[in-house]
Amino acid sequence: MPTFERREGVLWAERVALDAIVAEVGSPVFVYSASMLRDRARAVKAAFDPIGAEVRYAVKANANLSVLRLMLEEGCGMDVVSGGELHRARAAGCPGGLICFAGVSKSEAELRSALGVETGEEPVGLINIESPSELRLLDRVARGAGVRASALLRVNPGVDARTHRYTTTGITDSKFGIEPEETVAIFERASEYPGVALLGLHAHIGSPIREPARYAAAAGRLGEIAARVRSKGVDVGVLNLGGGFAHGYGDDPVEPLEAYAHAVRQAIAEELERGTRILIEPGRVIAAGAGVLIVRAVHVKHNTHRSFALCDAGMNALARPALYEAEHRVEPVRTREGALAPIDIAGPLCESADFLARERTLPSIESGDLLAVFEAGAYGMSMASNYNDHPKPAEVLVDGDRWAVIRDRQTFEDMTRHDREPEWRS
Ligand code: LLP
């Protein structure tokens, strides 16, 4: 059964009509399919099983606790990039050992929390270190707490992911990771950091990576660096290859996951032979297609040259079109008869960038119509903001013929709660 399907003119998620959900919880609302989330997690695991990769779901793609619990049930660990995501992963029940902690500027408080210093929580399995300064800080924090942190060095492998410039992280001038020469040098000096067990290497070159060969090239670079480090007499037992597998937005064709796994297998054959532990950090490829954002076209306006559907959410709920000019498919929830006409799907914010879709050809939309924005399950809610003080949307999970609210819509009170009357100090 297709996940999002039109029946008698209405869009359904699994076996629940989307307009029935909106009738109860209002709009805007993100609706996720539990079956599809499970299927996608299984597809990733199956594709990478031949190389024995352990999956660490990238929490940043969709961080709702119910989604995280589904991922745990499917046997995924978690890749987190902040104290907040770490808190979420633990709150969802993820054992510390299954958590990888990345993040380009981790603070002392975040590292202490990762090691469970004050709380006595199970330390995270691996910390991906992004700079020599972070390594020194982690060493100090761990020694101070009388523990040894397990860590990888995140390498900037100098491989262009050939994706949007805002989501490219593996080129030499990006802020991410440590350069290869310095990485090798740090391993040679590993004994200077007795609080840190440097177990291996990490890379993540960007997202989405449309060419499996690019992903594999970065993996290959890790293999080369691992071999160089070993030649200095230091062991490297773990390679974390990162995430970034492409999802096919709209009709965009993408390579199957197996193609990435196959390319990796060839690129790091020696590592696999020697039994190096392999991790991957997929987010988008699991969650993107499993979610839709439902908005209401509050007003429809026809100017001389353009028509606009002015909706109750835009870049505040789904920032991707404004930020990356990403193209998400949009359809009316209830089929409209009539001629196709060009229309821009715009949000409510006072920003010209506030679009969900530009120049789409859709059957004539009328004020009050509900619209479904597809492929919004990843980097939708997790990037939503309160700009112009619009409350963040509700989130709903559908599972077969059942559905449940998994995050309440924010209230105005939620948004003002943390503002305070000044209590002047001097
Ligand atoms: N691991 C690390 C270290 C990452 O930085 C990311 C994503 C991932 C894994 C997961 O990548 P994925 O498998 O989801 O492609 N907001 C952008 C995407 C930014 C991704 C940032 N890092 C978007 O909406 O396209």
Side-chain angles (χ1 to χ4, degrees), residues 123-169:
V124 302
L126 289 166
I127 297 177
N128 300 337
I129 294 172
E130 295 256 1
S131 63
S133 163
E134 184 188 337
L135 174 58
R136 289 192 292 274
L137 177 60
L138 179 61
D139 179 52
R140 181 163 63 72
V141 170
R143 280 188 291 120
V147 296
R148 192 139 193 256
S150 297
L152 308 179
L153 291 187
R154 176 171 180 175
V155 183
N156 182 332
V159 176
D160 186 351
R162 292 202 194 126
T163 187
H164 193 280
R165 67 186 192 287
Y166 289 170
T167 56
T168 296
T169 55

Side-chain angles (χ1 to χ4, degrees), residues 354-365:
D354 183 26
F355 279 84
L356 291 169
R358 285 181 197 262
E359 293 181 43
R360 293 301 165 86
T361 305
L362 293 172
S364 65
I365 293 169

Side-chain angles (χ1 to χ4, degrees), residues 58 60-61 79 81 102 154 167 202 204 206-208 242-245 249 281-285 320 324 378-379 383:
K60 65 172 78 64
D79 155 53
V81 291
R154 176 171 180 175
T167 56
H202 170 237
H204 171 81
S207 168
F245 312 109
Y249 290 93
E281 303 171 330
R284 183 195 313 273
V285 83
R320 307 193 68 258
Y324 319 117
Y379 304 110
M383 294 176 76

Side-chain angles (χ1 to χ4, degrees), residues 283-321:
R284 183 195 313 273
V285 83
I286 293 176
V292 290
L293 169 65
I294 309 296
V295 297
R296 191 178 293 281
V298 186
H299 303 287
V300 176
K301 175 159 81 177
H302 303 285
N303 287 357
T304 314
H305 299 297
R306 278 178 112 96
S307 295
F308 300 91
L310 303 165
C311 302
D312 55 7
M315 65 188 285
N316 54 315
L318 183 68
R320 307 193 68 258

